[in-house]
Amino acid sequence: MAKTYSIAIDGPAGAGKSTIAKRLAKELGYYYVDTGAIYRTVAYFLDLWGVSPKDIDNVNRYIDELTVGIEYDEDGLQHMIMNGMDVTGEIRTQDISQKASLVSAHPCVREMLLDMQRDVAKAHNVIMDGRDIGTVVLPKADVKIFLTADPEVRAKRRYDELIAKGQKANFETILKEIKQRDYQDTHREIAPLKMARDSVKVDTSNLDIDQVVAEIKAIAGKKIPV
């Protein structure tokens, strides 16, 4: 079996992980694995059943009824499949994002999804982004990046994104939610958000997409063919 390469990109919500990872995957010809979308799918499933992400007993009970799958379209875009249904669009709300952070802290959820994520990396060259890719999911990733930005910068990006889509948005509310998400992600007992020892930190606060992509490609080029 041919050698596969993996690039792990971790970081807080709104740092630009998905945008950067998608761009890199396209330029390098890698599969892009959005692990956040996987946990959002679990959160969405539980939400449909009215199960609170904090209700560990019911999370354990209902999780056995869930089947999560990943499919890629002709453009290489990841689609999340929940029990046979494409829910890619439905999971992209701020509410589901917050619930995904809580759901991802449960061992039963992480155990269910861990092998699936690793199997993709064994079969393909991948760029995988999330909160614990370099520390837990792919601890032997060839390249590890910790992508971050100031909370205010991340909130402004999210605000602009929502406004561009014609949705109502309040900057202060978004900033508060991002800080809350940061706290949840860094303080959870299971696989908290933290920078791996062998990860390279890239602060995107004052960089545009082209600059970030170029910097990560330069870092990756020292370890893998790019």
Side-chain angles (χ1 to χ4, degrees):
M1 185 175 180
K3 158 79 175 165
T4 59
Y5 296 98
S6 56
I7 299 175
I9 300 180
D10 290 307
K17 297 188 300 297
S18 296
T19 300
I20 299 303
K22 288 176 184 176
R23 172 83 170 269
L24 283 167
K26 188 173 183 178
E27 292 191 13
L28 298 178
Y30 280 30
Y31 273 65
Y32 165 56
V33 184
D34 176 1
T35 62
I38 300 174
Y39 287 103
R40 283 171 182 259
T41 301
V42 177
Y44 180 67
F45 171 80
L46 294 171
D47 196 55
L48 289 177
W49 284 100
V51 177
S52 167
K54 296 180 180 179
D55 185 352
I56 184 60
D57 290 336
N58 273 320
V59 169
N60 272 300
R61 182 183 306 168
Y62 280 87
I63 201 72
D64 290 337
E65 304 299 322
L66 171 63
T67 300
V68 178
I70 298 176
E71 294 181 1
Y72 292 88
D73 62 23
E74 294 179 352
D75 295 322
L77 296 178
Q78 176 178 310
H79 287 254
M80 293 309 307
I81 311 301
M82 180 194 79
N83 290 358
M85 297 182 294
D86 189 329
V87 295
T88 306
E90 287 80 355
I91 63 176
R92 294 296 175 182
T93 69
Q94 196 65 18
D95 178 55
I96 293 301
S97 175
Q98 292 291 342
K99 290 176 178 176
S101 176
L102 295 170
V103 163
S104 65
H106 298 310
C108 63
V109 175
R110 304 201 71 85
E111 289 170 9
M112 171 193 175
L113 301 175
L114 191 58
D115 287 341
M116 180 181 76
Q117 296 169 76
R118 287 176 174 169
D119 286 344
V120 176
K122 289 177 183 177
H124 308 279
N125 292 329
V126 300
I127 294 179
M128 193 176 293
D129 75 332
R131 305 292 189 280
D132 63 343
I133 309 305
T135 54
V136 177
V137 181
L138 300 178
K140 295 183 180 180
D142 299 284
V143 178
K144 296 180 184 179
I145 303 294
F146 192 86
L147 205 65
T148 188
D150 296 334
E152 290 76 14
V153 172
R154 290 184 276 137
K156 182 63 165 58
R157 289 172 180 169
R158 179 60 176 162
Y159 173 83
D160 291 342
E161 178 185 353
L162 292 172
I163 294 299
K165 291 180 179 178
Q167 300 179 26
K168 293 182 179 180
N170 179 278
F171 175 79
E172 293 301 329
T173 299
I174 294 172
L175 179 59
K176 181 179 178 182
E177 290 174 343
I178 280 180
K179 289 182 177 179
Q180 179 184 350
R181 180 70 186 269
D182 286 351
Y183 183 85
Q184 289 174 187
D185 289 343
T186 55
H187 287 77
R188 66 191 185 200
E189 291 186 15
I190 305 297
L193 169 65
K194 63 181 180 180
M195 183 173 168
R197 289 183 179 179
D198 53 347
S199 184
V200 179
K201 185 176 182 179
V202 177
D203 191 323
T204 70
S205 297
N206 299 306
L207 301 176
D208 61 27
I209 293 175
D210 290 339
Q211 291 172 319
V212 176
V213 169
E215 184 167 341
I216 294 178
K217 287 178 73 173
I219 294 168
K222 298 175 181 177
K223 296 186 177 182
I224 62 176
V226 296

